[in-house]
Amino acid sequence: MSELKGACIIGQSGGPTAVINASVQGAIQAALEADCITRVLGAAHGIKGVLEDRLYDMGQEDPTELELLQNTPSSALGSCRYKLADPDVDDTDYKRILEIFQKYNVRYFFYNGGNDSMDTCNKISKYMQKVGYECRIMGIPKTIDNDLNGTDHCPGFASAAKYISTSCMEVWQDAHVYDTGMITVVEIMGRHAGWLAGSAALATWAGFGPDLIYLPETDFDMERFIADVEDIYRRTGKCMIAVSEGIHYADGTFVSEAKTSATDGFGHAQLGGLATMLAEVVKQRTGAKVRGIELSLLQRCGSHLASQADVEEAKLAGRVAVESAVAGVTDKMVAFECLRAGERYECRTVLQPLDIVANFEKKVPREWINEAGNGIEQPFIDYVLPLIQGEPERPREHSLPRFARLKKVLTTEM
Amino acid sequence: MSELKGACIIGQSGGPTAVINASVQGAIQAALEADCITRVLGAAHGIKGVLEDRLYDMGQEDPTELELLQNTPSSALGSCRYKLADPDVDDTDYKRILEIFQKYNVRYFFYNGGNDSMDTCNKISKYMQKVGYECRIMGIPKTIDNDLNGTDHCPGFASAAKYISTSCMEVWQDAHVYDTGMITVVEIMGRHAGWLAGSAALATWAGFGPDLIYLPETDFDMERFIADVEDIYRRTGKCMIAVSEGIHYADGTFVSEAKTSATDGFGHAQLGGLATMLAEVVKQRTGAKVRGIELSLLQRCGSHLASQADVEEAKLAGRVAVESAVAGVTDKMVAFECLRAGERYECRTVLQPLDIVANFEKKVPREWINEAGNGIEQPFIDYVLPLIQGEPERPREHSLPRFARLKKVLTTEM
């Protein structure tokens, strides 16, 4: 493969994670080391930064601050949720991207995100091929939702899983402290796939966790849910429940949206989210003290509970994307292939075609969920446990996190 | 002082904290070492366990598990919110307590809790003196609320403060990731005192934290709040706000309870708590994307972010309570007296009479809050910063917390 000399752009897209910046760090460092990459540019707020010519010169950053990216949650370059049009319908954005690529002689484009981001990569790549502009385009996976096709798991998922399971263990302790009845509902992210809510099962596996877990992979039935909770509550005086935000009735309606449904026995306007609503429903039935807890943004930005495996794999994914592109690869996403055998866990990177990744959501296998649809089976534990291992070093100042402080020098300001 | 030989009872009361078990560990270990203490009993669910003769024989616990108590959040012996009657009105409970004390020859009683617990200690102590039963009674402070009188600070507060400030720093990162407008409201515990919400200022001090902080020490004004938020939002496109759950209007009404007040421009039934409600109010005014986050139980059981100083001081308080009682002291609470001079911080224990501690809530000094009542001044930072220092060792199994597993052998089962 011929050497391709030029600048690279690295961008981040979609919801942030605890380790997405570790991937960017891996990519930036590999790009700065690559002889054929003449300049390393960071896109401000993903593809929007390319369209708006808002690009940071990453070569001007202090290497120490770049190193701190691996412990800094959220998207340091800024993110977006911008969806490119179908180029056959409207190619305005693509022409603009080409213009910017030509302006800075960009020959490498690395995009760090989930499903939509891989779709963006795929569309840009096809357009550049069509117009004959040589450019290598690679996807770097990230998503706490863990729903990307073609990879064992996604960077970002494991740290969120570790946050969720650790927090559930702690909340379990708190929710069992009085000898009076208590029902606790914990609401966990995941609109269409239950990987995150399922991870609460690690807490149960470790001895202190939810009695019941509901994922969007099975249909939710309010009456059965109430019966499940009542049964445990009557026997033990306590019940802890983990629910995915995406649980839905058989007709597809999200439980969180069925605010005034007669079937859920709950006629109030609902503002406080699913956990509060479900807690209120079981309170009406049992008279128990209830507590609805939404893990909210905390679960996706909790870098203080990041998994070392996740941080390392995220960095690796960024580095491999750059090294592969330099070696001539394009139109691929870095993916993981893992071996799990007893205590042994090995993770290696493979390259997947962008079009098998984009626009497909990987769900939790039905057989990893118990038959009643209210709990998790051992294969799920075996899958997720190796991913949450290890505690990364966490630089601190005054015992508070020391996050990266980037200069973010815009190329247009130079 | 004559040696007093007999059993001791250790109990926990009120809301749990990340380090209340560290105090119990310190007390149990000191009691097991004391020659004059013949037996170490743990009360199941505080004073209720005494009344119901539900007492654990702590001497039967595995020392390794007792050691793990310092990293186990929540009240390992169980807690209660039982308030003893005025003995002059109804002395039923006191007679029962005396009966139990006599049954096991209890000569030492250690109670680990907040305001109400110190009141309980005080009442029991006075009753035992009245009836001439020799017994030494000591209070061991704990409360995340930090509102106990007569002590520089309370064990439990610092770890919650560290959890709050670290989480606010992470949420700040997440809330600043898009180039679209975003307003985030974080709701923090503290019904009458603003120590916890004020601790969010540590995040701002460290570079990434709330723009506005509201404590219950000042009156809340909804119109001024909206103006504060709008001003920052219009200038920066973002606004992060920390509020104490106890903020109230000038007439004393809690903002969280003023659900349908016309003055707050918010006419809906409110289930989701204060953060959701305030987020909804500013959404209506600004049109911004908003997020309400309630730190809920997470902030008081987050032992994975405990401060080493807090763990050590909590253990010390437990140990000193026992050692003082053995030396002849009674009717006192262990308190802290601290020296802060630049980088130097020293904490020593002093003994305070129970009656100056009980039933008085210590508030944040008005001069530690800015004049507008929407931010925190440097003296608050100087006060809290030394308390959150250090990371305790956290025993783990499979990278998940390894909490203490007590046998809890009831004396009635022996």
Side-chain angles (χ1 to χ4, degrees):
Chain A
M1 194 75 64
S2 63
E3 191 188 85
L4 180 63
K5 235 182 158 69
C8 81
I9 290 178
I10 299 169
Q12 297 179 303
S13 179
T17 80
V19 303
I20 181 169
N21 289 328
S23 284
V24 158
Q25 183 196 326
I28 291 174
Q29 286 178 342
L32 289 170
E33 289 164 17
D35 289 337
C36 61
I37 296 182
T38 52
R39 197 173 186 192
V40 182
L41 302 173
H45 301 287
I47 198 67
K48 282 177 81 175
V50 179
L51 293 168
E52 295 165 4
D53 196 2
R54 291 179 55 82
L55 302 168
Y56 306 125
D57 186 340
M58 303 312 295
Q60 302 206 31
E61 298 294 342
D62 180 340
T64 321
E65 296 298 326
L66 289 180
E67 195 64 41
L68 287 167
L69 279 176
Q70 68 180 302
N71 307 100
T72 305
S74 185
S75 309
L77 302 175
S79 185
C80 68
R81 290 197 184 275
Y82 190 85
K83 209 169 162 73
L84 291 178
D86 179 344
D88 292 335
V89 177
D90 178 3
D91 64 357
T92 320
D93 282 348
Y94 299 90
K95 283 180 176 160
R96 174 65 176 159
I97 293 168
L98 177 61
E99 194 175 276
I100 296 293
F101 278 18
Q102 285 170 329
K103 176 175 175 183
Y104 295 100
N105 188 33
V106 172
R107 297 292 172 177
Y108 298 91
F109 181 68
F110 305 104
Y111 213 37
N112 189 190
N115 279 307
D116 288 342
S117 311
M118 297 310 132
D119 183 51
T120 299
C121 282
N122 199 21
K123 283 175 175 161
I124 296 174
S125 180
K126 291 221 167 83
Y127 181 82
M128 295 300 163
Q129 281 169 32
K130 201 177 87 179
V131 299
Y133 181 84
E134 194 177 2
C135 183
R136 295 178 191 155
I137 294 183
M138 296 288 292
I140 307 168
K142 79 84 216 174
T143 168
I144 59 165
D145 292 328
N146 202 38
D147 58 356
L148 281 181
N149 198 25
T151 184
D152 179 90
H153 60 279
C154 304
F157 163 62
S159 295
K162 188 165 179 168
Y163 181 92
I164 290 162
S165 46
T166 302
S167 295
C168 279
M169 288 181 74
E170 293 177 340
V171 166
W172 188 98
Q173 295 285 343
D174 196 296
H176 283 71
V177 80
Y178 296 111
D179 60 354
T180 45
M182 175 83 170
I183 297 174
T184 316
V185 184
V186 181
E187 177 182 341
I188 296 166
M189 283 180 169
R191 203 79 179 144
H192 303 291
W195 297 103
L196 289 172
S199 303
L202 283 170
T204 315
W205 176 83
F208 313 101
D211 304 287
L212 299 165
I213 302 177
Y214 298 90
L215 310 189
E217 277 78 0
T218 62
D219 294 335
F220 187 81
D221 180 296
M222 187 62 86
E223 286 307 318
R224 221 163 50 214
F225 165 74
I226 294 169
D228 288 348
V229 175
E230 271 195 305
D231 176 51
I232 292 168
Y233 179 71
R234 298 294 171 215
R235 280 189 288 114
T236 68
K238 303 273 185 289
C239 189
M240 182 172 176
I241 305 122
V243 293
S244 168
E245 61 174 335
I247 53 167
H248 55 79
Y249 296 111
D251 69 0
T253 324
F254 285 120
V255 177
S256 60
E257 282 170 1
K259 293 173 192 178
T260 53
S261 157
T263 58
D264 67 6
F266 187 70
H268 299 100
Q270 179 227 330
L271 296 164
L274 182 63
T276 314
M277 189 266 265
L278 290 176
E280 196 60 29
V281 169
V282 295
K283 182 182 182 176
Q284 285 174 16
R285 290 291 188 99
T286 60
K289 200 178 159 189
V290 297
R291 181 76 82 151
I293 299 175
E294 189 187 345
L295 295 185
S296 191
L297 300 184
L298 301 162
Q299 67 200 292
R300 76 176 186 194
C301 60
S303 62
H304 69 272
L305 271 175
S307 126
Q308 172 70 5
D310 198 19
V311 171
E312 293 303 329
E313 291 171 1
K315 275 201 288 188
L316 180 68
R319 171 165 288 277
V320 167
V322 172
E323 290 174 349
S324 304
V326 166
V329 178
T330 186
D331 306 331
K332 296 280 197 292
M333 182 189 83
V334 178
F336 297 139
E337 220 171 61
C338 300
L339 171 85
R340 293 173 180 80
E343 294 287 293
R344 208 167 134 224
Y345 166 75
E346 283 165 27
C347 176
R348 66 182 196 97
T349 57
V350 290
L351 301 176
Q352 294 283 15
L354 284 171
D355 45 14
I356 78 147
V357 177
N359 300 318
F360 178 94
E361 282 170 336
K362 192 176 73 175
K363 313 257 174 153
V364 177
R366 181 61 186 83
E367 62 272 21
W368 291 11
I369 304 167
N370 71 3
E371 211 182 313
N374 61 15
I376 295 299
E377 299 287 354
Q378 188 62 33
F380 189 110
I381 305 291
D382 298 338
Y383 166 81
V384 71
L385 195 59
L387 310 182
I388 68 158
Q389 296 306 303
E391 323 305 319
E393 215 184 300
R394 293 199 296 124
R396 296 181 192 84
E397 259 174 19
H398 303 285
S399 277
L400 291 169
R402 171 62 168 88
F403 294 145
R405 294 193 180 93
L406 301 183
K407 287 186 243 167
K408 295 192 178 179
V409 182
L410 284 170
T411 53
T412 47
E413 286 169 358
M414 289 163 63
Chain B
M1 193 75 62
S2 64
E3 190 187 84
L4 181 62
K5 234 182 158 70
C8 79
I9 289 178
I10 299 168
Q12 297 177 305
S13 179
T17 80
V19 303
I20 181 168
N21 290 328
S23 284
V24 158
Q25 182 196 327
I28 291 174
Q29 286 179 341
L32 289 172
E33 289 163 18
D35 289 337
C36 62
I37 295 183
T38 52
R39 197 173 185 191
V40 182
L41 302 173
H45 300 287
I47 198 66
K48 282 176 83 176
V50 180
L51 293 167
E52 294 164 4
D53 197 2
R54 292 179 55 80
L55 301 167
Y56 306 124
D57 187 340
M58 302 313 293
Q60 301 206 31
E61 299 294 341
D62 179 341
T64 321
E65 296 298 327
L66 289 179
E67 195 65 39
L68 287 167
L69 279 175
Q70 67 181 301
N71 308 100
T72 305
S74 184
S75 310
L77 301 174
S79 185
C80 67
R81 292 199 182 273
Y82 190 87
K83 209 168 161 72
L84 292 177
D86 178 344
D88 293 336
V89 177
D90 178 2
D91 65 357
T92 320
D93 282 347
Y94 300 89
K95 283 181 174 156
R96 174 64 177 160
I97 293 168
L98 177 61
E99 196 174 274
I100 296 293
F101 278 18
Q102 285 169 330
K103 177 176 174 183
Y104 296 100
N105 188 34
V106 172
R107 297 291 172 178
Y108 298 92
F109 181 69
F110 305 104
Y111 212 37
N112 190 191
N115 279 306
D116 287 343
S117 310
M118 296 311 132
D119 184 53
T120 299
C121 280
N122 200 22
K123 284 173 173 162
I124 296 174
S125 179
K126 292 222 167 82
Y127 180 84
M128 294 300 163
Q129 281 168 32
K130 200 178 89 180
V131 299
Y133 181 84
E134 193 178 3
C135 184
R136 295 178 191 156
I137 294 182
M138 296 289 290
I140 307 169
K142 79 86 215 171
T143 167
I144 60 164
D145 292 328
N146 201 39
D147 58 356
L148 280 180
N149 197 24
T151 184
D152 178 89
H153 61 277
C154 304
F157 162 62
S159 295
K162 187 166 180 167
Y163 181 92
I164 289 162
S165 46
T166 302
S167 296
C168 280
M169 288 181 75
E170 293 177 340
V171 166
W172 188 98
Q173 294 286 341
D174 196 296
H176 283 70
V177 81
Y178 296 110
D179 59 355
T180 45
M182 176 83 172
I183 297 174
T184 316
V185 184
V186 181
E187 177 182 341
I188 296 166
M189 282 180 169
R191 204 76 180 147
H192 303 291
W195 297 103
L196 289 173
S199 303
L202 284 170
T204 314
W205 176 82
F208 313 100
D211 304 288
L212 298 165
I213 301 177
Y214 298 89
L215 310 190
E217 277 78 2
T218 61
D219 294 335
F220 187 81
D221 180 297
M222 187 63 83
E223 286 306 319
R224 221 164 49 216
F225 165 74
I226 293 169
D228 288 348
V229 174
E230 271 195 304
D231 175 50
I232 292 167
Y233 178 71
R234 297 293 171 213
R235 281 190 287 113
T236 68
K238 304 271 184 289
C239 188
M240 183 171 174
I241 306 123
V243 292
S244 168
E245 62 174 336
I247 53 167
H248 55 78
Y249 296 112
D251 68 0
T253 324
F254 284 119
V255 177
S256 60
E257 281 170 3
K259 291 173 195 179
T260 52
S261 157
T263 58
D264 66 10
F266 186 70
H268 300 100
Q270 180 228 330
L271 296 165
L274 181 62
T276 314
M277 189 267 264
L278 291 176
E280 195 61 29
V281 169
V282 293
K283 182 183 181 176
Q284 285 175 16
R285 291 293 187 99
T286 61
K289 202 179 157 189
V290 298
R291 182 76 85 150
I293 299 175
E294 189 186 346
L295 295 185
S296 191
L297 300 184
L298 300 161
Q299 67 198 292
R300 76 176 186 195
C301 61
S303 62
H304 69 271
L305 271 175
S307 125
Q308 171 71 5
D310 198 18
V311 171
E312 292 304 328
E313 290 171 1
K315 275 201 290 189
L316 180 68
R319 170 165 288 277
V320 167
V322 171
E323 290 174 351
S324 303
V326 166
V329 178
T330 186
D331 307 331
K332 295 281 198 292
M333 182 188 82
V334 178
F336 297 138
E337 219 171 62
C338 299
L339 170 85
R340 292 172 182 81
E343 294 288 291
R344 204 165 135 226
Y345 166 75
E346 284 167 26
C347 175
R348 66 182 196 95
T349 58
V350 291
L351 301 175
Q352 294 282 15
L354 284 172
D355 44 17
I356 77 145
V357 176
N359 301 317
F360 178 92
E361 282 168 337
K362 192 175 71 173
K363 313 257 174 154
V364 176
R366 182 61 186 84
E367 62 273 22
W368 290 10
I369 305 167
N370 70 5
E371 211 183 314
N374 62 12
I376 295 298
E377 300 286 354
Q378 188 62 33
F380 190 111
I381 304 292
D382 297 338
Y383 166 79
V384 71
L385 195 59
L387 311 182
I388 67 158
Q389 297 306 302
E391 323 305 319
E393 215 184 302
R394 293 200 294 126
R396 296 181 191 85
E397 258 173 20
H398 303 283
S399 277
L400 290 169
R402 171 62 169 89
F403 294 146
R405 293 192 180 94
L406 300 183
K407 286 186 244 171
K408 295 191 175 178
V409 182
L410 284 169
T411 53
T412 47
E413 285 168 359
M414 289 163 63

